[in-house]
């Protein structure tokens, strides 16, 4: 594993007269949440390994506004959107990879009408592309033969119909990929979306993440693979609820790739 | 002669009553805000063919889909037979098309009979599933009262309709074989319809001719009366979906499900801060209202959605919040919207064409904030809906109303908003620290 990550910011690149091929949009969770930062670094390791010229915005990045919009605060959303768009357009960004399906969805679907037009991919799509282009060779490593169940993030799956990219990437690891009863278009939410991450649940019989983690654990997996930092938090808590954290790990697809290949 | 007059009167009255009520529904739908959906006609047409006509989304649950298909196909195909019934009814003929259409006539009626048998089986299965097996999604609290009665009534009507068809055709078969039918005798000894040629003699074979004439007439009149009753009941029932599924799928959202609409009312206020040259998109003198408080704040498409809802509960049974016992039910969102719209419509009827404020609204009196705040915006309900209804769009409009007009978001969300406003992140971190992860180990 290489110790030093090379993470240039857009400002640094510009100062050196360079233009990156792709902008890595880290997102709030990926920037601030301790667990999610590990996912961010796994994505960086992959990018460093294949030698893609990329940059991050660093302190110039700001929340896409997704949680505000889903919570009904359109003012706050558009304030964030216009601020981000003016920075992205200022740097003449063309292509963006995101570490989070919520950022992915907002940048891809809601920014264009407000003046921000970019090619946006989720990190699992980028990894798939790199593998298909032969730029990234992957092996199963420690995950070889392990049982992995993949949880579809709503904002990657149903919201944007991306079901295959993460699965194809996981399958490259020579693992036994299994499906939960509710998967793909029928997948059940982890419970975080729609700004639920930031509030207590309404009164009911159960927490959504416990329902979903329980369903994943029925498959008796070694790993629950996710593609979203919020799903990651929810599923990790759900697995803890069942005291299964020793047996079943919750890992992002990027972490699977980076760990298996010792990047 | 008398029967032709009675029939014509029934036909005219039945059609007129339906038209009056259909126009009311159209008026109610158009109470919604205007939006223009004129793009991508060919894709829209294709969606309608696949989803409404082809019932594509039903087949994610194959068994109910198949049973539903039997009833639907029987319903559609039976309408062809109706042409003859109406012609016979008005002109006083009996099976007027049989002679001229010959073998094709026998084939069509036979086909209708087979579908009717399948529909009969499906009807019994549906009644059993709803009332005896008590399938969870068909027994949620929002179905208590009229909706449950509505569903069973329609199934009962379907049941009776099939009985009438076989009374009519079965008795006629026996009469025909005795040379006593009012149908023109072609000297073939049997009407030759696939089911009734066996069923008729089995049930009615030993009955005297005058009795059979009565049974045949009861079947004929019962059949047509059922069709008119059904037609006129539609505007009051969830079964309106058999008509509205077509326009509703034609006008469905073709964009990615994650793409929520941007409010131009907000853009007009926010954008000038970033772009002084910006020209407002909306009329600056028009009153601005954010989100939706009542049904008239929704678009006509959202109101069409409400009238198209089949109350099948596929949305609710896939809703993560409902599954885990929360109050939110996307089906209830749609039913409430329709109920409130009906109430507004009746208010307008009563007050000679203008709505007189009744102090009520969709948000608050029908749908509570508790329901609205539970939503994960996960799109499972939208994905599941067999007629492409979007309950989430209404939920979002109501949320916007709560936040932007009533400032009544849950306290934790207000905390998230202020973090976002001050720090550019939903948590309390300094924006200057956003890049710190780069150097941490
Ligand atoms: S979008 Fe909301 S209402 Fe629809 S299924 Fe998901 S949580 Fe339920
Ligand atoms: S909204 Fe759609 S899925 Fe839900 S009850 Fe109505 S028709 Fe069924």
């Amino acid at each position: 594993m290489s110790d030093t990550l090379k993470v240039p910011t857009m400002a640094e690149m510009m100062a050196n007269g360079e233009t990156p091929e792709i902008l890595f949009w880290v997102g709030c969770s990926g920037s601030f949440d301790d667990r999610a930062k590990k996912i961010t670094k796994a994505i960086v390791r992959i990018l460093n390994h294949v030698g893609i010229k990329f940059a991050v915005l660093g302190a110039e990045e700001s929340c896409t506004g997704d949680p505000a919009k889903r919570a009904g605060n359109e003012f706050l959303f558009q304030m964030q959107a216009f601020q981000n768009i003016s920075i992205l357009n200022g740097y003449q960004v063309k292509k963006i990879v995101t570490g989070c399906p919520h950022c992915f969805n907002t940048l891809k679907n809601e920014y264009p009408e407000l003046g921000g037009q970019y090619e946006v991919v989720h990190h699992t799509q980028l990894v798939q592309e790199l593998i298909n282009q032969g730029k990234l060779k992957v092996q199963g490593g420690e995950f070889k033969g392990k049982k992995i169940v993949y949880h579809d993030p709503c904002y990657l799956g149903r919201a944007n119909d991306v079901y295959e990219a993460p699965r194809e990437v996981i399958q490259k690891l020579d693992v036994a990929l299994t499906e939960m009863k509710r998967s793909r278009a029928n997948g059940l939410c982890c419970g975080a979306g729609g700004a639920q991450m930031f509030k207590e649940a309404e009164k009911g019989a159960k927490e959504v993440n416990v329902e979903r983690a329980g369903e994943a654990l029925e498959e008796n997996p070694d790993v629950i693979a996710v593609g979203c930092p919020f799903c990651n938090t929810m599923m990790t808590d759900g697995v803890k609820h069942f005291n299964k954290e020793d047996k079943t790990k919750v890992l992002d697809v990027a972490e699977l790739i980076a760990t298996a290949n010792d990047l | 002669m008398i029967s032709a007059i009675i029939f014509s009167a029934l036909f005219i009255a039945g059609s007129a009553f339906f038209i009056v009520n259909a126009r009311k529904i159209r008026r109610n739908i158009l109470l919604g805000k205007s939006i223009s959906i004129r793009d991508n006609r060919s894709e829209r047409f294709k969606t309608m063919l696949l989803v409404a006509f082809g019932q594509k989304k039903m087949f994610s649950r194959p068994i109910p889909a198949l049973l539903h298909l039997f009833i639907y196909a029987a319903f559609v195909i039976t309408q062809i037979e109706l042409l003859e019934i109406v012609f016979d009814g008005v002109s006083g003929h009996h099976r007027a098309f049989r002679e001229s259409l010959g073998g094709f006539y026998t084939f069509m009626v036979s086909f209708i009979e087979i579908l009717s048998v399948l529909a009969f089986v499906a009807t019994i299965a549906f009644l059993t599933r709803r009332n005896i097996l008590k399938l969870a999604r068909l027994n949620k609290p929002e179905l208590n009262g009229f909706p449950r009665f509505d569903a069973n009534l329609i199934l009962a009507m379907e049941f009776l309709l099939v009985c009438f068809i076989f009374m009519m055709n079965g008795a006629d078969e026996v009469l025909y074989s005795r040379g006593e039918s009012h149908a023109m005798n072609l000297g073939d000894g049997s009407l030759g319809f696939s089911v009734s040629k066996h069923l008729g003699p089995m049930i009615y074979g030993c009955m005297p001719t005058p009795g059979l004439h009565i049974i045949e007439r009861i079947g004929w009149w019962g059949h047509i009366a059922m069709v008119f009753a059904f037609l006129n009941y539609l505007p009051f029932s969830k079964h309106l979906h058999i008509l509205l599924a077509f326009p509703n799928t034609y006008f469905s959202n073709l964009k990615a499900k994650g793409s929520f609409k941007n409010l131009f009312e907000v853009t007009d206020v926010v954008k000038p801060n970033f772009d002084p040259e910006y020209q407002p998109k909306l009329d600056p003198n028009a009153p601005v209202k954010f989100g939706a408080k009542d049904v008239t704040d929704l678009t006509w498409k959202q109101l069409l959605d409400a009238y198209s809802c089949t109350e099948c509960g596929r949305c609710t049974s896939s809703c993560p919040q409902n599954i885990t016992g929360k109050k939110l039910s996307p089906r209830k969102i749609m039913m409430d919207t329709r109920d409130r719209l009906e109430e507004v419509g009746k208010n307008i009827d009563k007050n000679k064409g203008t709505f007189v404020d009744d102090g009520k609204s969709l948000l608050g009196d029908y749908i509570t904030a508790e329901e609205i705040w539970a939503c994960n915006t996960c799109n499972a309900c939208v994905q599941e809906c067999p007629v492409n209804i979007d309950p989430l769009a209404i939920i979002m409009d109501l949320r916007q109303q709560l936040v932007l007009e009533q400032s009544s978001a849950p306290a934790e969300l207000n905390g998230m908003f202020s973090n976002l406003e001050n720090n550019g992140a939903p948590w309390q971190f300094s924006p200057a620290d956003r890049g710190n992860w780069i150097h941490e180990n």
Side-chain angles (χ1 to χ4, degrees):
Chain A
M1 189 192 294
S2 58
D3 297 335
T4 47
L5 300 176
K6 290 189 286 299
V7 191
T9 63
M10 208 67 193
E12 290 162 7
M13 275 224 164
M14 283 304 193
N16 294 336
E18 287 179 294
T19 352
E21 221 174 290
I22 194 163
L23 175 87
F24 175 23
W25 185 275
V26 182
C28 300
S29 191
S31 304
F32 292 119
D33 179 85
D34 285 333
R35 174 68 188 86
K37 283 187 224 173
K38 294 195 178 131
I39 305 170
T40 307
K41 288 182 182 170
I43 297 172
V44 169
R45 286 202 180 92
I46 296 170
L47 296 175
N48 280 169
H49 175 75
V50 296
I52 285 193
K53 214 166 168 192
F54 78 97
V56 298
L57 284 175
E60 285 186 293
E61 189 186 279
S62 192
C63 176
T64 59
D66 163 85
K69 186 168 182 95
R70 309 301 139 183
N73 196 334
E74 182 77 6
F75 269 95
L76 198 46
F77 163 67
Q78 291 200 15
M79 292 292 287
Q80 290 298 118
F82 286 123
Q83 187 189 329
N84 285 321
I85 288 169
S86 68
I87 288 178
L88 290 167
N89 289 356
Y91 284 125
Q92 297 184 331
V93 169
K94 301 267 173 324
K95 186 171 179 182
I96 301 176
V97 58
T98 72
C100 165
H102 295 266
C103 302
F104 166 71
N105 177 68
T106 307
L107 291 166
K108 182 176 171 14
N109 294 320
E110 288 159 358
Y111 276 27
E113 200 179 49
L114 302 175
Q117 275 151 18
Y118 323 102
E119 183 193 345
V120 189
V121 294
H122 182 251
H123 66 273
T124 57
Q125 291 176 303
L126 183 69
V127 171
Q128 181 199 32
E129 197 183 306
L130 293 171
I131 294 176
N132 289 346
Q133 290 169 347
K135 291 184 185 153
L136 179 63
K137 302 237 181 316
V138 294
Q139 289 166 347
E142 62 183 79
F143 300 112
K144 205 166 168 185
K146 290 269 161 68
K147 193 164 184 188
I148 298 189
V149 62
Y150 173 70
H151 161 83
D152 289 281
C154 304
Y155 276 81
L156 190 61
R158 266 190 301 272
N160 288 291
D161 294 320
V162 180
Y163 299 111
E164 298 312 325
R167 287 182 169 79
E168 269 186 37
V169 170
I170 295 170
Q171 258 154 350
K172 293 275 189 273
L173 296 174
D174 243 346
V175 297
L177 178 63
T178 49
E179 296 287 344
M180 284 180 250
K181 277 200 212 89
R182 290 171 285 205
S183 79
R184 290 199 162 83
N186 299 324
L188 189 77
C189 176
C190 70
Q196 299 305 326
M197 184 76 190
F198 307 100
K199 61 181 264 297
E200 286 298 316
E202 275 62 28
K203 231 175 50 244
K206 208 179 190 183
E207 293 282 348
V208 174
N209 68 327
V210 170
E211 168 85 12
R212 185 54 164 170
E215 189 178 2
L217 290 172
E218 271 174 36
E219 304 301 323
N220 217 354
D222 298 299
V223 176
I224 299 173
V226 293
C228 169
F230 295 102
C231 297
N232 197 312
T233 307
M234 292 311 238
M235 296 304 272
T236 305
D237 289 350
V239 170
K240 280 191 193 135
H241 174 91
F242 291 102
N243 296 317
K244 288 279 168 64
E245 62 267 36
D246 294 332
K247 158 86 176 84
T248 302
K249 301 272 170 269
V250 179
L251 294 171
D252 193 277
V253 175
E255 293 179 296
L256 289 174
I257 295 292
T259 312
N261 295 279
D262 208 12
L263 303 179
Chain B
M1 185 57 199
I2 292 183
S3 72
I5 293 171
I6 297 176
F7 179 85
S8 305
L10 182 72
F11 182 72
I12 291 168
S15 309
F17 191 62
F18 174 74
I19 290 169
V20 167
N21 285 311
R23 288 173 65 110
K24 268 189 198 163
I25 287 175
R26 187 186 140 83
R27 180 212 53 201
N28 289 355
I29 290 172
L30 293 178
L31 291 174
K33 284 200 296 193
S34 82
I35 42 156
S36 156
I37 309 181
R38 291 174 196 277
D39 56 334
N40 295 316
R41 287 181 194 206
S42 62
E43 197 186 342
R44 293 187 174 284
F45 195 71
K46 215 171 86 192
T47 310
M48 181 175 81
L49 275 186
L50 279 174
V51 178
F53 192 70
Q55 308 193 356
K56 177 178 155 210
K57 290 174 85 178
M58 292 286 286
F59 279 87
S60 61
R61 304 186 193 198
I63 294 174
L66 202 65
L67 294 173
H68 180 268
L69 184 70
F70 292 157
I71 296 185
Y72 167 73
F75 175 83
V76 172
I77 307 286
T78 310
Q79 305 317 311
I80 302 173
E81 199 192 14
L82 214 57
L83 290 175
E84 185 189 42
I85 292 203
V86 171
F87 184 81
D88 282 358
V90 175
S91 67
H93 282 85
H94 186 64
R95 300 202 184 271
F97 298 166
R98 181 164 181 256
E99 191 196 357
S100 50
L101 293 179
F104 180 67
Y105 182 87
T106 314
F107 170 77
M108 276 317 293
V109 180
S110 295
F111 192 46
I112 291 170
E113 285 196 343
I114 291 171
L115 281 172
S116 298
V117 172
L118 293 174
F120 191 76
V121 174
T123 306
I124 292 173
F126 280 166
L127 280 167
T128 311
R129 180 175 74 137
R130 196 175 273 274
N131 299 297
I132 299 173
L133 301 180
K134 295 214 178 288
L135 192 69
R137 84 176 142 95
L138 302 178
N139 285 282
K140 296 264 172 186
E142 65 262 26
L143 295 183
N144 289 344
F146 176 73
R148 191 184 310 279
F149 170 77
D150 178 25
N152 282 323
L153 180 66
I154 287 280
L155 287 170
M157 282 168 103
E158 180 69 37
F159 185 87
L160 277 176
L161 180 68
V162 178
C163 292
F164 285 136
I165 290 178
F166 286 112
M167 280 169 80
M168 173 174 86
N169 288 357
D172 209 16
E173 167 69 23
V174 178
L175 288 170
Y176 191 84
S177 67
R178 294 180 191 169
E180 297 282 355
S181 169
H182 295 304
M184 185 186 284
N185 198 330
L186 304 179
D188 43 5
S190 165
L191 290 168
F193 306 141
S194 58
V195 178
S196 57
K197 76 176 170 205
H198 306 295
L199 200 65
M202 228 157 71
I203 304 177
Y204 306 115
C206 51
M207 278 184 132
T209 301
L212 285 180
H213 275 301
I214 294 173
I215 290 179
E216 194 275 335
R217 282 295 92 185
I218 293 177
W220 191 92
W221 280 98
H223 179 185
I224 190 70
M226 224 20 107
V227 170
F228 278 125
F230 190 76
L231 183 71
N232 279 294
Y233 182 56
L234 278 188
F236 307 98
S237 160
K238 67 168 182 134
H239 287 82
L240 195 53
H241 77 263
I242 61 170
L243 302 177
L244 294 189
F246 292 89
N248 204 57
T249 48
Y250 179 84
F251 292 117
S252 33
N253 175 26
L254 302 177
K255 286 199 264 175
K257 290 191 191 66
S259 178
F260 291 17
K261 74 169 185 269
N262 292 316
L263 296 191
F264 292 132
E265 295 88 335
V266 171
T267 313
D268 283 352
V269 180
V270 176
K271 186 92 193 256
N273 299 320
F274 294 86
D275 175 10
E277 315 274 278
Y278 176 77
Q279 293 299 318
K281 287 203 167 84
L282 304 171
D283 174 8
N285 299 317
V288 212
K289 198 168 178 185
F290 301 109
K293 180 163 188 247
D294 210 346
V295 283
T296 43
D297 302 325
L298 298 170
T299 68
W300 62 262
K301 171 61 174 80
Q302 289 172 310
L303 301 182
L304 178 62
D305 269 359
Y307 271 122
S308 307
C309 177
T310 74
E311 297 175 15
C312 68
R314 285 172 163 74
C315 52
T316 294
S317 71
S318 66
C319 171
Q321 296 290 349
N322 193 276
I323 288 171
T324 53
K326 319 292 164 35
K327 273 211 186 115
L328 173 63
S329 161
R331 166 171 56 189
K332 177 176 175 292
I333 302 285
M334 301 319 299
M335 292 171 69
D336 285 344
T337 304
R338 177 173 176 170
D339 288 348
R340 172 59 183 160
L341 183 55
E342 285 281 301
E343 186 176 55
V344 169
K346 286 198 187 108
N347 181 312
I348 293 174
D349 291 338
K350 210 174 75 198
N351 297 302
K352 302 189 187 63
T354 41
F355 177 71
V356 175
D357 189 8
D358 58 0
K360 291 204 221 164
S361 60
L362 179 64
L363 179 62
D365 294 295
Y366 285 79
I367 302 174
T368 59
E370 179 180 344
E371 292 162 64
I372 291 307
W373 287 119
C375 176
N376 278 118
T377 69
C378 74
N379 265 304
C381 50
V382 184
Q383 174 74 37
E384 275 285 314
C385 180
V387 291
N388 283 0
I389 288 169
D390 189 344
L392 176 52
I394 296 182
I395 294 174
M396 282 313 303
D397 285 356
L398 298 182
R399 274 193 179 179
Q400 282 162 356
Q401 169 75 22
L402 285 170
V403 173
L404 301 178
E405 296 277 358
Q406 306 184 4
S407 307
S408 66
E412 303 117 299
L413 288 187
N414 281 329
M416 183 266 281
F417 293 153
S418 64
N419 286 330
L420 199 48
E421 201 170 339
N422 300 324
N423 314 326
W427 301 289
Q428 255 184 337
F429 291 105
S430 159
D433 294 341
R434 206 179 242 277
N436 287 4
W437 63 271
I438 300 172
H439 309 290
E440 289 167 5
N441 260 320

